[in-house]
Amino acid sequence: MKSTEVLAPAGSPESLKAAVLNGADAVYLGGSCYGARAYADNFDQKQLLWAIDYAHLFGRKVYLAVNTLMKQEEISGLAGFLEPYYERGLDGVIVQDLGALSVIRRCFPGMEIHASTQMTVTGIHGARLVKELGGSRVVPARELSLTEIQKIKKDTGLDMECFVHGALCYCYSGQCLMSSMLGGRSGNRGRCAGTCRLPFDLYENGTKLNQRGQNYLLSPKDLCTIRELPELIGHGVDSLKIEGRMKQPEYVGTVTRIYRKYVDLYESGQLYQVDEEDEKELLELFNRGGFTSGYYKKHNGRDMMSLYRPNHQGIFVGKVQSVQGRHIMFQAAEDLGKGDVLEISLERGEKVELTSPDIWKKGDKVCLNGQKLKHLKPGMRIFRTKNQSLKDRAAESLKKKSKENIKGKIIISPGKCAKLLITSGELEVEVPGALAEPARKRPLSKEDIIKHITKTGESDFIFTELEAEIHGDIFLPVAALKQLRRDAFEKLTEEILKKKPQETSRIFNS
């Protein structure tokens, strides 16, 4: 059975590392131009070439977003922009513009092309066109149901890549004109101003329809589908896409880790059951008044909207019981930690923020000092918008280094050059080392050799198994063993990154 891909966003090199470390099968990112996230910390050419190598070293894929609508004078530079990445082994491009798709197919015949969600493929006819033009994958319009996605899959056989977590656009599949009309920044050109997150009022015949405090009428909640994953995969979804190229590495790493966990759980055949603590962790990372499962099982609905606020709400931790001068009292509905930030919303978008100076257990009576408390009243709801311990754990986890598991065998005989054989998956390399000499005093033991060879330090590899085959009493300087290991790692890296020569059509240079 083909494994379902976990596809994570990489708005920066740090986010890419976080995604790989936490189990993403692939990442999508933007380059210096043509991407639909102009304000992300996108990759320049040197960084993008590094990103391709880094991902491939760990067996992951890289998809490059070139998904803006392009002006005629821009499209002539597209092939030149893509050529170094194609030759490096870029795994695929995400495209909205049909003209761009045509150029890429003509100039890069071996490149995988994925139809962006902004291409607005809503049914079998659009998907058939993508396939006819040379596309291999569709990111269908976000408004489609599981049944509609399954129908496209069965009809075309194309890979289906669907968003499973993160921000939703109010407009049809991200094709927003509101940002350009009100803010002068086109979402279709990668410069969304987020106008759907602004406050609005709704009137009919001069009568205001939205209730007090319900000012964010166009702001959808974020998507979360860990409970729906079995249904998504069962309806033919091949790639689970996490939104968030503008998010921090801690967000990317944590969301990727949780979705990796549940894809693995589903594919293991064990009972699929979601841990409420995982859902809470996702809520604490970012939510706009809770989550929605999107359009997969419903057409639309009021509960998909975040009417009261457009930004991170956090989780409920209590209600104001009393306010006395600069002191506020409440009973903790959750454990609170030192450094946690608590927020109480007021009218007109104003708020009171408090920072916990200590640790409190659920059920404890909490007393905090603060300023500007005169507008607070008993019964007001308190939310934690920053969980300091969660943030610290996520940051600490990112200090770990991704390492590729390898197996090895070292052979040393007196009067012969030492040899180190390393295998990674189906790859095997062998490198010679320094000449081993008969030991005059204390010979090298197997334990000593294994100890020095397995000290992989800051390299990209870690031994899961190392066999030492020693013939007689031998001596080899420790420095020679270390050099042997470095040479072997260098050769293995070269073999992993070695690609079949990519043939690039030179039509665009003629």
Side-chain angles (χ1 to χ4, degrees):
M1 183 180 72
K2 180 181 176 183
S3 182
T4 305
E5 180 181 82
V6 176
L7 177 57
S12 67
E14 292 73 24
S15 290
L16 185 148
K17 290 180 180 179
V20 170
L21 180 64
N22 285 280
D25 298 296
V27 298
Y28 64 102
L29 46 77
S32 56
C33 51
Y34 301 115
R37 287 292 183 271
Y39 301 115
D41 186 13
N42 290 311
F43 293 70
D44 60 25
Q45 185 180 94
K46 183 179 179 182
Q47 289 175 322
L48 217 162
L49 293 172
W50 164 85
I52 294 169
D53 286 349
Y54 183 84
H56 287 173
L57 187 61
F58 298 104
R60 318 303 167 85
K61 294 183 177 181
V62 176
Y63 306 136
L64 177 61
V66 286
N67 56 338
T68 59
L69 292 175
M70 300 181 192
K71 297 181 180 179
Q72 194 62 35
E73 62 268 21
E74 294 171 339
I75 207 164
S76 59
L78 177 61
F81 169 72
L82 289 175
E83 185 177 15
Y85 311 131
Y86 179 73
E87 291 177 343
R88 197 63 157 246
L90 180 67
D91 298 285
V93 288
I94 306 167
V95 181
Q96 175 187 186
D97 193 298
L98 290 177
L101 191 157
S102 176
V103 168
I104 294 168
R105 177 49 62 236
R106 184 174 75 250
C107 298
F108 307 104
M111 181 78 82
E112 267 195 33
I113 298 176
H114 302 171
S116 169
T117 190
Q118 289 177 291
M119 198 179 280
T120 319
V121 174
T122 59
I124 58 173
H125 302 293
R128 287 173 183 173
L129 177 61
V130 169
K131 187 173 183 178
E132 182 183 323
L133 293 173
S136 59
R137 176 181 289 193
V138 167
V139 189
R142 298 192 199 189
E143 294 73 26
L144 297 194
S145 67
L146 288 176
T147 302
E148 291 168 320
I149 292 167
Q150 186 178 51
K151 187 176 180 181
I152 295 173
K153 175 70 175 180
K154 287 183 176 180
D155 183 88
T156 64
L158 292 170
D159 271 4
M160 293 290 111
E161 176 185 306
C162 295
F163 284 94
V164 293
H165 197 91
L168 288 172
C169 294
Y170 182 83
C171 64
Y172 212 127
S173 204
Q175 293 199 70
C176 182
L177 298 178
M178 192 176 186
S179 176
S180 56
M181 297 298 291
L182 294 184
R185 290 161 43 184
S186 173
N188 292 298
R189 300 278 294 161
R191 293 175 171 80
C192 176
T195 49
C196 61
R197 306 298 180 187
L198 297 176
F200 294 93
D201 288 323
L202 179 64
Y203 288 87
E204 183 179 30
N205 298 324
T207 302
K208 182 179 174 181
L209 299 183
N210 54 303
Q211 297 177 12
R212 185 175 180 179
Q214 296 180 347
N215 302 118
Y216 300 97
L217 305 181
L218 303 180
S219 179
K221 295 176 182 176
D222 275 24
L223 185 67
C224 178
T225 62
I226 54 172
R227 289 192 177 274
E228 289 75 26
L229 286 191
E231 293 175 88
L232 267 71
I233 297 170
H235 279 77
V237 176
D238 301 283
S239 179
L240 306 173
K241 188 170 191 174
I242 299 166
E243 185 275 337
R245 278 198 283 149
M246 300 288 286
K247 292 290 199 301
Q248 294 299 310
E250 292 83 0
Y251 175 94
V252 172
T254 303
V255 176
T256 301
R257 171 176 55 80
I258 290 174
Y259 276 84
R260 172 83 273 155
K261 171 183 175 179
Y262 286 102
V263 169
D264 291 347
L265 176 62
Y266 173 76
E267 294 184 345
S268 73
Q270 299 177 47
L271 176 66
Y272 191 87
Q273 192 168 353
V274 175
D275 188 336
E276 290 184 1
E277 289 301 312
D278 289 329
E279 286 185 304
K280 183 186 289 187
E281 191 167 358
L282 291 172
L283 285 165
E284 295 236 45
L285 278 173
F286 193 88
N287 81 87
R288 308 176 204 265
F291 287 131
T292 174
S293 58
Y295 298 91
Y296 292 125
K297 296 195 291 184
K298 66 163 70 174
H299 181 62
N300 53 34
R302 184 186 182 91
D303 61 348
M304 292 178 64
M305 305 305 295
S306 176
L307 299 175
Y308 292 95
R309 62 184 302 154
N311 52 8
H312 180 44
Q313 174 177 281
I315 67 167
F316 174 76
V317 295
K319 290 183 179 181
V320 176
Q321 291 181 329
S322 65
V323 181
Q324 298 175 9
R326 295 181 60 181
H327 300 282
I328 175 177
M329 274 69 74
F330 67 95
Q331 185 174 16
E334 297 283 346
D335 291 346
L336 300 177
K338 186 176 181 179
D340 287 358
V341 175
L342 311 182
E343 182 180 305
I344 305 166
S345 295
L346 305 175
E347 294 182 7
R348 301 180 299 279
E350 296 177 356
K351 63 185 179 182
V352 171
E353 277 193 347
L354 303 163
T355 301
S356 174
D358 208 340
I359 296 173
W360 311 84
K361 292 295 184 182
K362 181 178 179 180
D364 285 352
K365 296 289 185 180
V366 181
C367 178
L368 296 180
N369 297 334
Q371 298 179 344
K372 302 178 181 179
L373 304 183
K374 62 181 180 179
H375 297 297
L376 299 187
K377 299 175 182 177
M380 284 186 165
R381 292 161 64 84
I382 307 169
F383 290 85
R384 175 169 58 201
T385 55
K386 185 178 81 170
N387 182 326
Q388 188 61 49
S389 64
L390 176 63
K391 185 178 176 67
D392 290 343
R393 287 198 306 273
E396 188 63 30
S397 72
L398 297 185
K399 293 179 182 178
K400 298 177 184 176
K401 183 177 174 63
S402 295
K403 285 182 176 279
E404 186 71 4
N405 292 333
I406 57 174
K407 296 180 180 179
K409 180 178 182 180
I410 186 168
I411 304 172
I412 308 178
S413 302
K416 295 183 180 181
C417 291
K419 287 193 300 185
L420 181 57
L421 297 84
I422 293 179
T423 58
S424 174
E426 297 179 356
L427 277 178
E428 180 174 294
V429 299
E430 177 182 324
V431 292
L435 188 69
E437 300 175 1
R440 295 180 182 178
K441 296 181 180 180
R442 180 178 177 271
L444 271 178
S445 67
K446 284 187 178 183
E447 291 74 17
D448 289 336
I449 293 168
I450 290 172
K451 175 184 174 182
H452 292 300
I453 292 292
T454 54
K455 284 184 177 180
T456 55
E458 291 300 307
S459 74
D460 295 311
F461 304 101
I462 186 168
F463 283 99
T464 58
E465 182 181 311
L466 178 63
E467 178 185 351
E469 184 179 308
I470 312 301
H471 300 277
D473 293 339
I474 54 94
F475 171 75
L476 200 63
V478 171
L481 288 173
K482 292 180 178 179
Q483 187 61 50
L484 180 61
R485 182 189 64 225
R486 284 193 292 267
D487 292 344
F489 285 0
E490 185 176 331
K491 186 171 182 181
L492 180 60
T493 299
E494 290 175 0
E495 290 298 317
I496 291 174
L497 299 181
K498 191 181 290 181
K499 298 289 180 183
K500 293 179 180 178
Q502 299 270 30
E503 294 185 6
T504 306
S505 170
R506 296 293 168 179
I507 295 174
F508 65 89
N509 287 330
S510 62

